Amino acid sequence: MSTMANAIRIHTQITSETLHIPELSALVGKNVEVIILEEEEAPRGPTPPARKLGALRGLFEVPDDVDAPIHHRQMEPSLPRAR
């Protein structure tokens, strides 16, 4: 029984019967076991239904001055008052 000294995992798409794998250069001349596993495509979940344009209209209010500058006073952090 042999032990595994080196393991290399390579994810690639096979485009021909001949593989060119530069990562194997350190193992040239050594006895190795080659295992090729075909990856299964990840199952796709159900696609959520698309919302229609304007579907959220009326669910919340946007003030008329939404693009107005924020006053300096409103930007100060609010700290708890001393008792």
Side-chain angles (χ1 to χ4, degrees):
M1 181 174 196
S2 64
T3 60
M4 188 181 336
N6 291 308
I8 299 173
R9 175 176 281 176
I10 300 167
H11 292 273
T12 188
Q13 183 178 26
I14 296 177
T15 57
S16 73
E17 293 177 5
T18 305
L19 298 177
H20 177 71
I21 307 173
E23 293 87 352
L24 298 180
S25 63
L27 300 173
V28 171
K30 298 185 179 183
N31 294 326
V32 299
E33 178 180 6
V34 177
I35 300 173
I36 297 177
L37 302 173
E38 181 180 5
E39 293 180 349
E40 295 180 6
E41 290 189 28
R44 295 181 139 204
T47 304
R51 288 192 182 134
K52 293 182 181 179
L53 184 61
L56 299 177
R57 182 178 297 145
L59 296 179
F60 58 92
E61 288 187 30
V62 178
D64 293 333
D65 65 346
V66 70
D67 58 348
I70 298 173
H71 299 298
H72 178 67
R73 184 188 227 7
Q74 292 174 333
M75 293 180 61
E76 293 176 1
S78 58
L79 300 174
R81 296 182 184 206
R83 293 181 185 206

